[in-house]
Amino acid sequence: MKGRVEIIVGTQWGDEGKGRVVDAMAHTVDVVARYQGGANAGHTVMVEGEKYVFHLLPSGMLYSGKTCVIGNGVVIDSQQLLDELTDLQERGKDRARLVISGAAHVVMPYHKKLDSMEERLRGSRKKIGTTHRGIGPCYMDKVNRCGIRVEDLLCEDALREKLSFNLEIKNMYLTRIYGEEPLAFGEIFEQAWSWGQRLKPYVGDASLTIFEALERGSNVLFEGAQGTLLDLDHGTYPFVTSSSPVAGGACVGAGLGPSLVGRVTGVVKAYNTRVGEGPFPTELKEELGETLRERGGEFGATTGRPRRCGWLDLVALKYAVRINGIHALALTKLDVLSGFEAIPVCTGYRSDEGEDLPYKGNSVFLDSVEPVYRNMEGWKMDLGACRDFQDLPRPARDYIRFIEEQTGVPIVLVGVGPSRDQTIVMGL
Ligand code: IMP
């Protein structure tokens, strides 16, 4: 194959800054593809002082001449996608070609409703803390083989038949279990049909588009949403999302043979954050956590929820390196750590009995471990103007080298501020 495939994955619980890393790499590729997740994701990219937040569109949409692909593994909130396209058109930035897989599933209004109802039923102790975007219920229908796919929105008979079957069941849930009013067929049908008509020009064979691009010698970038620790199989189950953000998910979620994957780059924030419930061994619950949240602007791009913050967890990062087969790391938000006297980094987990423990993606286990920290020296300098590794203060360079040493993976990019140019490139 003449073209090259690169996969960008999150190594933590999402919000690592993948959008900006994809943005930094986009000029080296012709195709940018998403392979999983839906409008639960939120990629923020700053370009020429303007802020763009994408929930469904690949970040590559900001580049003219690119092809952006939404693969079969994505679940599509059609209204959200159409709004994002309209926003780009209005700002004169709709310069890329978009191809949406006909096999991608559609998030229907009842999915969102059921997502919220189920969270309410779980109660505050057992809830997952989902984004209420209907992600879990939509993937449930996909697995249950009753979901509505994008291609169904284009065929009136198929849409009628599938929607009426689904509504019959969903309305039973809504009325009998949750005591809600049933949803009306007519309104949802009209809405879904109109989505289909508007999305029609973009619907195509996503897998073939990618394959033909590679054959022509074009490079393809896969943009993961969420992160490794939110992966349905490999994350902190059950506090996970319902898709496969790990690198292997790109093959299934876009119709790509594994032998075609060239390089996997993991994105890691200089500290850890998490939105929603679930274990977080290095979480800072007191003032320090608040300081990190304020300095890092750690509020969800999708829900606006404050993110839980904590020190970098190298045990979990090494696990992410293994699960994804990561070749290179991109370290983001290093500038946020400026001003701390010391920066603890978690290098191990210990049991109550003082026994050293290897990583296990099990929530009960992770809730019980005691992190072992190594104190790294802090630095005072604002890193925003650094453009070269040598511009960084010595303790910041040591921080980078320590991560490389511990993971055995080179860091190829360092983010030192929110703007596109506040990036140190170290061998992308
Ligand atoms: P869901 O994906 O909405 O079902 O939510 C499941 C879990 O994944 C919750 O803890 C969410 O907060 C989390 N989650 C989903 N998408 C993102 C994301 O893009 N960034 C960070 N966390 C996310």
Side-chain angles (χ1 to χ4, degrees):
M1 198 58 79
K2 287 195 244 155
R4 190 172 47 83
V5 170
E6 166 117 22
I7 304 177
I8 309 287
V9 288
T11 59
Q12 295 155 316
W13 285 288
D15 307 318
E16 298 93 352
K18 294 177 291 292
R20 74 93 50 80
V21 175
V22 171
D23 186 57
M25 290 182 168
H27 67 278
T28 65
V29 304
D30 305 286
V31 180
V32 182
R34 264 194 71 175
Y35 57 89
Q36 48 70 230
N40 48 349
H43 285 181
T44 309
V45 184
M46 296 288 294
V47 182
E48 290 144 17
E50 278 198 65
K51 186 174 169 181
Y52 297 85
V53 181
F54 296 138
H55 295 286
L56 274 159
L57 286 175
S59 313
M61 285 303 285
L62 290 169
Y63 281 88
S64 50
K66 305 268 178 239
T67 297
C68 286
V69 174
I70 297 184
N72 55 277
V74 176
V75 289
I76 297 181
D77 180 330
S78 308
Q79 192 56 54
Q80 175 69 41
L81 180 60
L82 288 163
D83 289 348
E84 286 176 27
L85 281 168
T86 307
D87 181 49
L88 275 189
Q89 276 155 9
E90 284 171 356
R91 293 161 87 172
K93 289 284 194 305
D94 59 327
R95 300 174 189 147
R97 168 181 166 233
L98 177 67
V99 178
I100 303 170
S101 167
H105 280 247
V106 181
V107 178
M108 301 297 286
Y110 44 80
H111 291 136
K112 292 189 200 173
K113 202 149 180 128
L114 288 168
D115 193 355
S116 300
M117 294 293 125
E118 189 156 331
E119 280 285 87
R120 201 177 70 188
L121 190 72
R122 285 172 195 270
S124 57
R125 254 187 59 242
K126 289 200 175 138
K127 74 171 184 201
I128 295 165
T130 73
T131 58
H132 295 236
R133 297 294 173 117
I135 306 299
C138 184
Y139 279 115
M140 274 166 74
D141 281 359
K142 172 176 176 173
V143 174
N144 198 24
R145 294 150 297 176
C146 65
I148 294 176
R149 311 208 304 185
V150 169
E151 63 199 10
D152 297 323
L153 299 181
L154 308 179
C155 173
E156 200 174 334
D157 288 344
L159 181 59
R160 263 184 204 289
E161 192 195 312
K162 292 189 178 186
L163 182 59
S164 69
F165 176 73
N166 272 292
L167 259 190
E168 207 175 305
I169 297 172
K170 269 53 174 196
N171 276 338
M172 282 191 218
Y173 277 109
L174 287 174
T175 56
R176 296 190 195 172
I177 297 180
Y178 299 116
E180 291 283 308
E181 290 297 315
L183 296 172
F185 175 87
E187 201 180 312
I188 300 180
F189 178 82
E190 290 308 324
Q191 203 177 30
W193 181 250
S194 98
W195 289 334
Q197 295 311 297
R198 291 176 66 195
L199 290 176
K200 204 172 179 173
Y202 307 106
V203 180
D205 188 329
S207 164
L208 188 62
T209 303
I210 291 167
F211 190 78
E212 286 179 346
L214 289 169
E215 272 189 326
R216 279 197 307 274
S218 298
N219 297 331
V220 181
L221 191 66
F222 284 86
E223 174 179 347
Q226 290 85 44
T228 305
L229 306 180
L230 284 174
D231 185 273
L232 179 60
D233 291 86
H234 304 289
T236 51
Y237 191 90
F239 303 100
V240 291
T241 190
S242 302
S243 66
S244 306
V246 295
C251 295
V252 182
L256 176 84
S259 61
L260 298 179
V261 177
R263 189 166 82 150
V264 180
T265 297
V267 184
V268 53
K269 187 148 55 181
Y271 48 96
N272 273 48
T273 62
R274 162 161 220 171
V275 253
E277 308 301 312
F280 186 169
T282 63
E283 182 171 14
L284 293 163
K285 295 216 168 106
E286 311 293 333
E287 213 182 309
L288 271 175
E290 190 61 41
T291 308
L292 266 181
R293 180 156 47 247
E294 288 303 325
R295 288 194 193 170
E298 295 296 351
F299 298 89
T302 301
T303 58
R305 287 179 289 179
R307 295 178 185 143
R308 298 156 62 193
C309 297
W311 300 122
L312 181 64
D313 184 342
L314 287 176
V315 186
L317 181 59
K318 282 194 235 177
Y319 170 75
V321 165
R322 170 166 73 79
I323 288 288
N324 292 292
I326 287 173
H327 298 98
L329 285 168
L331 181 70
T332 58
K333 290 193 152 182
L334 186 62
D335 53 301
V336 175
L337 294 182
S338 293
F340 287 102
E341 269 316 303
I343 306 171
V345 178
C346 170
T347 53
Y349 293 160
R350 204 160 275 167
S351 70
D352 280 348
E353 291 77 38
E355 186 195 353
D356 288 332
L357 303 165
Y359 185 90
K360 264 200 288 185
N362 174 295
S363 287
V364 179
F365 166 81
L366 290 171
D367 263 336
S368 70
V369 296
E370 191 60 45
V372 178
Y373 289 106
R374 157 133 177 192
N375 259 342
M376 303 294 291
E377 187 184 334
W379 61 88
K380 295 258 180 308
M381 188 178 140
D382 177 359
L383 307 185
C386 299
R387 294 293 176 273
D388 192 271
F389 184 69
Q390 292 308 330
D391 297 341
L392 293 167
R394 202 250 321 134
R397 296 199 304 266
D398 289 348
Y399 194 77
I400 293 171
R401 292 297 181 222
F402 187 64
I403 299 170
E404 290 184 319
E405 228 175 80
Q406 290 281 308
T407 57
V409 177
I411 291 180
V412 293
L413 182 148
V414 180
V416 290
S419 292
R420 205 178 219 180
D421 64 322
Q422 290 181 301
T423 303
I424 297 174
V425 178
M426 294 159 58
L428 270 184

